[in-house]
Amino acid sequence: MTAQFLALMNSAIAFGTVIMLGALGEILIEKAGNLNLGIPGIMYLGAIGGLIAAFFYELNGGTSPVVGLILSFVSCILFAAFGGLIYAFLTITLRANQNVTGLTLTIFGGGMANFFGGSLNKLAGGVGQISVPITSSAYIAYTPLGYMGTLGTLLFAHGFMAYLAIILAVLLSRFLNRTRTGLNLRSVGESPATADAAGINVTAYKYLSIIIGAAIAGLGGLFYTMDYIKGTWANDGTIEGLGWLAVALVIFATWKPLNAIWGSYLFGLVYWAYLYIPGLNRSSLELFKMLPYAITLVVLIIVSLRKKRENLPPASLGLSYFREER
Amino acid sequence: MEPVKNAIRMENITKRFGSVVANNGINLELHEGEILSLLGENGSGKTTLMNMLSGIYYPDEGQIYVHDKPVTIASPKDAFDNGIGMIHQHFKLVDVFTATENIVLGLEEEGRLDLKKAGQKVKEICEKYGFDIQPNQKIYDMSVSQKQTVEIVKVLYRGADILILDEPTAVLTPQETDKLFAIMRNMQRDGKSLIIITHKLHEVLDVSDRVAILRKGEYIGDVATKDANQQSLTDMMVGRSVSLNIDRPLPVNPTPRLVLEHVTAYDELGVKRLDDVSFTANSGEILGIAGVAGSGQKELLESIAGLYPVKEGKILYYDPDVDYAETDESGQPKHRPLSLVGMDPMDIRKAGIAMSFVPEDRLGMGLVGTMGMTGNMMLRSWRKGKGVFVDTKGPEELANRIWKELEVVTPSTKFPVRRMSGGNVQKVLVGREIAQEPAVLMTAYAVRGLDINTSYTIYNLLTEQKMKGRAVVYVGEDLDVLLELCDRIVVLCGGQVSGVVDGRTITKEEVGLLMTQHRKEGAE
């Protein structure tokens, strides 16, 4: 019983970490007033970016887990930030429709990642042959505390990125609510004309928050390849599904990073619950996988019934801003 | 006399938007320690000119001097750095932030964000000039006047010594306006220089030391306020002599057309927007609706038009072609008025009620911005065509008629209305609604954004409708106009009717008082 519970909790936390990182990135982006539906694509880009670096490092005889980790981490951030840059340029400078741009980016990111994934497979000698065990080991490793009983396994038997995600959430929350820059950033998302009149560089704030947000979301993809599926590549569309859950989680968390922490674990828990419920067949199992979305819907309904202004999305979410518009 | 020092000198300023010249070679001076009124009709380029001082727009040509030093103002930040603060007509505030958060927004102070300290400083400024706001109150909980106060404190907090107020009184009651003017004089005594944009002439005469006048993007001249009067200012503003009187014939045979009984309505957040509203709109009469912005005017009109859910109460419509005095054998009335509650606009039309509504949000609710005049006329007649095709001929004719009769400035009837100026957009909308020959004509801020000339055209059109025996409901913001145009005036305050008064005998002060008087605290 305890073993089963622990296994469920640990898969929930791993699953939650992926979408938490995606959601944190999206929160930062949405707080600046941009609705980025390209998060799945960006997570794809981050995932393949990290994998490419690790793969070539190990292909060329690299043996240090730490070097592999640093290379893949940096490469992931660059790839994901590049995806964010495309989105930012299109929506801010060219003022393209945010929804269309985001959806396109999701398709682009998925296609790009699977293209490279296919190429890497070829280099590795066949489908399903990619493996970066050395780099992956650095991501999966945990301290001896993780072996100390039930509590130890529950709290400490996770790769470092699980903790990084929590730290990021806390930092992001403090940044948004306690700092001058955070206040300015929120004003850009609420009312860019107000921010502009107050002397805030709306364009710069939007660009930076999108690019940094994309980098954070990309880490979700990295965690997925390196830790969740242990340094391999799966072109089955899982990352895209996780990306959409991350977007749903932003709404679930009512745009608050701290809510994203427990929200993501809850999503993980209900997502994996089917494994531990006896008597499910292939179709009823899919019903359970739907639960996170159902919960998001319920939260949306509750939030809109409670009518609290602070729980609503940023007022200018999804709108382009042009100063001289009349 | 010692030489006057200039706080601001604008030299030869030109600004174009596409092919439209909004400001053409303007020279304007603001002396130190004076209150200058910038006067001009809508579309004369006042706001554009001021936006170049506040860094929202950048001039195409010309030079700006602040305290006689040439400066470049390329962004709002540059404006702050030069001590210029602008209070915009449309408030630039973040609703979910507190007053203090809004005030410190965008400031680059040393150290970490200390909202407590900032709140303290806000309090000090408030005490110094006599403002009444709470630093920790959220903007969405504030009245319009309080929001404006936050805007003023915001620029003072930044140490501005030159303040520009863009139509600050448009949303205020006469009492609030007096308070604002007192504060402006306080600031003047404190050595600040102020520019106020307004087109209410009595306010110009009331508060300013000097008046500068713009017309169609050109600088016409300036005059010391003590040497000016309403007529002379209007003539300068319009460029020719204009009669300022509205013709108000007595109502013809007024009979109830629309009767509201105890109407109560809530918005989607559950806030009561209309509270037990009762009044009668008669045929052959212009019924004015007065009130501070947001007192329920919009909700009231939309409730009648079937666009807003009514929770309690009755809205009854009396058909002009039915004799309600007729009785059947048992002495009961033969006809009963129609109840409009629960009907949507389509139901109302199907019930044979000719109702026209000129909404406040012209391009949002009244017209489709990307369509031309003809297309917009068609919105009213698309059901009339035979078969699957719509009739374009009728709308085209109507569009041409409005184009000519109301002197709409547009290259063609196909030109998107979104790209016309506000006044022309309004003419298209009012023209279309009047052409429906409605039994009830409701207008919300029908002259907002229109120059004096066009406004008078609209007033005459409304009076014409009244003389044709139609019930006209006129929601207005300019009390002077309401008092000159309307036969009776319903005063709203916080969603309640605080009084129904005779437009011919009531004074402006009395209406102003009613506008701020909730029934519960009032005399009744």
Side-chain angles (χ1 to χ4, degrees):
Chain A
M1 186 62 207
T2 324
Q4 249 194 12
F5 171 74
L6 270 182
L8 173 60
M9 285 311 287
N10 281 358
S11 21
I13 289 171
F15 183 95
T17 302
V18 179
I19 58 173
M20 194 202 304
L21 286 164
L24 291 177
E26 179 71 358
I27 287 175
L28 182 61
I29 296 171
E30 291 199 11
K31 277 289 178 187
N34 279 63
L35 179 64
N36 185 356
L37 296 179
I39 284 295
I42 284 170
M43 285 170 69
Y44 253 126
L45 286 174
I48 198 67
L51 189 65
I52 288 174
F55 181 80
F56 281 107
Y57 175 66
E58 294 189 20
L59 189 72
N60 291 318
T63 51
S64 159
V66 178
V67 174
L69 184 144
I70 294 171
L71 283 177
S72 58
F73 203 85
V74 171
S75 169
C76 157
I77 287 181
L78 289 178
F79 267 68
F82 171 71
L85 182 66
I86 298 175
Y87 175 84
F89 179 71
L90 282 166
T91 59
I92 303 169
T93 306
L94 302 181
R95 286 191 286 276
N97 180 297
Q98 296 184 6
N99 296 345
V100 177
T101 310
L103 290 173
T104 314
L105 184 60
T106 288
I107 298 167
F108 170 78
M112 180 110 158
N114 282 322
F115 169 74
F116 283 121
S119 313
L120 292 187
N121 265 326
K122 222 171 191 175
L123 287 174
V127 174
Q129 295 298 310
I130 302 177
S131 175
V132 285
I134 299 167
T135 310
S136 174
S137 69
Y139 280 92
I140 299 169
Y142 50 84
T143 56
L145 284 172
Y147 299 103
M148 293 175 69
T150 312
L151 203 63
T153 315
L154 184 62
L155 296 179
F156 301 110
H158 309 284
F160 77 96
M161 282 185 77
Y163 307 102
L164 179 70
I166 299 173
I167 294 168
L168 273 175
V170 175
L171 287 181
L172 184 61
S173 174
R174 288 194 71 89
F175 164 73
L176 287 173
N177 295 314
R178 300 281 173 82
T179 67
R180 207 176 292 281
T181 322
L183 182 73
N184 293 354
L185 177 77
R186 282 189 290 141
S187 77
V188 168
E190 292 288 341
S191 169
T194 301
D196 196 11
I200 295 167
N201 189 336
V202 175
T203 308
Y205 266 88
K206 277 184 176 258
Y207 258 96
L208 276 177
S209 64
I210 290 173
I211 289 171
I212 295 171
I216 295 174
L219 291 179
L222 181 71
F223 179 82
Y224 178 78
T225 43
M226 291 301 172
D227 189 320
Y228 198 75
I229 58 169
K230 316 260 183 288
T232 56
W233 180 250
N235 57 353
D236 57 359
T238 316
I239 294 183
E240 183 173 345
L242 290 169
W244 292 125
L245 268 180
V247 175
L249 180 60
V250 174
I251 301 166
F252 180 89
T254 58
W255 292 266
K256 294 182 183 71
L258 294 183
N259 286 348
I261 301 177
W262 65 267
S264 66
Y265 297 150
L266 179 69
F267 275 27
L269 213 54
V270 292
Y271 186 88
W272 284 118
Y274 73 90
L275 280 183
Y276 304 91
I277 294 171
L280 292 178
N281 57 32
R282 277 194 78 86
S283 50
S284 47
L285 171 161
E286 293 297 328
L287 280 176
F288 272 86
K289 287 190 177 175
M290 198 185 70
L291 274 176
Y293 298 99
I295 297 181
T296 305
L297 276 178
V298 170
V299 167
L300 265 181
I301 292 167
I302 294 172
V303 165
S304 61
L305 282 179
R306 276 179 59 209
K307 294 163 183 163
K308 217 173 137 217
R309 295 287 291 264
E310 281 77 5
N311 287 339
L312 296 178
S316 292
L317 186 62
L319 307 173
S320 304
Y321 176 64
F322 177 43
R323 185 189 283 171
E324 294 205 1
E325 195 154 75
R326 307 233 289 172
Chain B
M1 205 176 117
E2 62 177 306
V4 283
K5 280 194 192 151
N6 283 333
I8 286 180
R9 188 154 64 87
M10 300 179 89
E11 198 178 79
N12 227 356
I13 299 287
T14 298
K15 175 74 186 172
R16 298 181 194 88
F17 292 103
S19 59
V20 181
V21 184
N23 286 143
N24 189 11
I26 292 192
N27 294 293
L28 182 81
E29 286 168 4
L30 170 68
H31 305 160
E32 280 180 12
E34 78 166 346
I35 299 181
L36 173 75
S37 278
L38 191 57
L39 188 63
E41 297 181 300
N42 271 87
S44 59
K46 300 170 307 230
T47 302
T48 307
L49 188 68
M50 290 302 109
N51 275 336
M52 284 186 277
L53 286 180
S54 66
I56 301 283
Y57 297 152
Y58 190 74
D60 296 334
E61 289 164 30
Q63 178 65 49
I64 297 169
Y65 300 85
V66 174
H67 298 296
D68 288 325
K69 276 197 293 285
V71 294
T72 305
I73 302 175
S75 73
K77 202 180 155 296
D78 292 347
F80 293 139
D81 293 345
N82 283 299
I84 301 172
M86 179 152 170
I87 290 94
H88 294 271
Q89 189 180 359
H90 304 288
F91 300 136
K92 308 242 178 198
L93 295 171
V94 178
D95 266 357
V96 293
F97 286 9
T98 64
T100 309
E101 282 176 324
N102 267 291
I103 286 162
V104 300
L105 194 62
L107 279 179
E108 283 160 14
E109 282 175 347
E110 289 296 305
R112 56 183 207 90
L113 182 63
D114 189 347
L115 286 173
K116 261 200 197 121
K117 216 172 93 195
Q120 203 53 45
K121 199 174 154 194
V122 169
K123 263 217 168 89
E124 280 163 26
I125 294 174
C126 290
E127 276 158 21
K128 183 171 173 192
Y129 295 102
F131 295 121
D132 166 36
I133 52 163
Q134 294 300 318
N136 286 326
Q137 200 177 356
K138 294 262 167 129
I139 299 298
Y140 59 75
D141 277 335
M142 290 188 178
S143 72
V144 181
S145 151
Q146 282 174 312
K147 288 182 193 171
Q148 187 176 61
T149 309
V150 175
E151 286 278 20
I152 297 173
V153 176
K154 191 158 101 182
V155 297
L156 292 174
Y157 188 95
R158 277 147 221 256
D161 63 344
I162 300 165
L163 281 91
I164 304 165
L165 297 103
D166 188 0
E167 294 197 31
T169 61
V171 289
L172 301 182
T173 63
Q175 284 78 8
E176 285 169 336
T177 303
D178 288 343
K179 216 160 125 192
L180 174 70
F181 286 175
I183 285 167
M184 285 175 67
R185 289 192 197 96
N186 267 344
M187 294 195 280
Q188 182 184 22
R189 265 194 291 280
D190 201 39
K192 310 215 181 281
S193 321
L194 296 102
I195 300 180
I196 174 172
I197 301 182
T198 173
H199 35 210
K200 295 183 188 165
L201 297 170
H202 62 92
E203 291 178 0
V204 171
L205 297 170
D206 205 18
V207 76
S208 61
D209 303 313
R210 201 161 59 89
V211 191
I213 292 148
L214 295 186
R215 189 200 309 152
K216 292 191 176 147
E218 313 253 356
Y219 183 72
I220 299 303
D222 71 329
V223 52
T225 308
K226 58 180 179 352
D227 303 328
N229 60 41
Q230 295 217 3
Q231 191 66 47
S232 71
L233 289 177
T234 311
D235 294 351
M236 278 180 88
M237 194 158 84
V238 182
R240 61 194 145 88
S241 216
V242 177
S243 153
L244 279 181
N245 293 318
I246 302 173
D247 186 32
R248 177 165 55 183
L250 282 170
V252 264
N253 185 25
T255 50
R257 177 67 49 87
L258 209 52
V259 177
L260 276 76
E261 290 173 8
H262 312 293
V263 172
T264 300
Y266 298 82
D267 68 9
E268 67 269 26
L269 293 174
V271 180
K272 215 183 231 186
R273 290 295 171 187
L274 292 176
D275 187 358
D276 195 18
V277 171
S278 302
F279 63 84
T280 302
N282 292 325
S283 63
E285 178 185 85
I286 298 184
L287 179 73
I289 310 271
V292 186
S295 301
Q297 295 96 322
K298 179 168 171 266
E299 291 80 2
L300 178 61
L301 293 194
E302 291 186 1
S303 298
I304 298 172
L307 295 165
Y308 205 84
V310 174
K311 184 98 190 207
E312 288 158 40
K314 282 188 214 163
I315 301 174
L316 300 172
Y317 172 79
Y318 290 82
D319 196 301
D321 300 327
V322 173
D323 181 7
Y324 290 95
E326 267 186 288
T327 52
D328 58 16
E329 307 80 52
S330 57
Q332 294 294 312
K334 210 166 164 186
H335 307 282
R336 290 190 178 280
L338 272 169
S339 169
L340 299 188
V341 173
M343 284 187 165
D344 65 24
M346 189 71 110
D347 296 334
I348 291 176
R349 190 180 290 210
K350 276 188 185 146
I353 301 170
M355 188 186 287
S356 279
F357 178 28
V358 178
E360 176 182 0
D361 181 8
R362 295 161 200 170
L363 286 177
M365 274 177 75
L367 300 168
V368 178
T370 49
M371 301 205 301
M373 280 177 75
T374 307
N376 274 297
M377 296 304 137
M378 217 181 289
L379 292 180
R380 271 297 205 170
S381 63
W382 56 271
R383 286 181 208 83
K384 286 181 191 152
K386 290 186 196 85
V388 292
F389 298 105
V390 288
D391 168 31
T392 49
K393 241 194 193 147
E396 177 73 45
E397 274 163 27
L398 179 58
N400 277 312
R401 218 174 75 212
I402 291 171
W403 189 10
K404 276 201 203 76
E405 284 177 14
L406 296 185
E407 297 167 9
V408 178
V409 182
T410 174
S412 86
T413 51
K414 299 203 167 44
F415 188 72
V417 292
R418 187 172 56 86
R419 291 171 57 195
M420 298 181 184
S421 78
N424 286 309
V425 170
Q426 185 70 333
K427 283 182 190 171
V428 173
L429 181 56
V430 172
R432 182 187 76 192
E433 292 304 317
I434 288 178
Q436 309 306 314
E437 314 219 315
V440 178
L441 172 63
M442 297 190 290
T443 62
Y445 310 108
V447 297
R448 181 182 279 176
L450 268 57
D451 57 43
I452 290 208
N453 241 335
T454 322
S455 300
Y456 276 78
T457 313
I458 302 278
Y459 299 148
N460 289 337
L461 281 170
L462 294 180
T463 304
E464 212 174 89
Q465 293 298 305
K466 152 181 153 184
M467 296 316 284
K468 284 185 179 166
R470 286 164 191 160
V472 180
V473 178
Y474 176 88
V475 174
E477 47 198 347
D478 188 336
L479 283 185
D480 296 291
V481 171
L482 277 163
L483 292 175
E484 279 188 50
L485 178 72
C486 303
D487 300 297
R488 287 186 307 134
I489 298 171
V490 172
V491 188
L492 289 180
C493 175
Q496 302 177 331
V497 175
S498 52
V500 181
V501 296
D502 186 333
R504 286 181 172 74
T505 54
I506 190 107
T507 66
K508 203 165 117 190
E509 284 64 35
E510 287 169 299
V511 176
L513 217 56
L514 284 172
M515 280 163 71
T516 51
Q517 195 169 62
H518 284 269
R519 207 171 16 186
K520 289 179 188 102
E521 325 155 358
E524 253 184 50

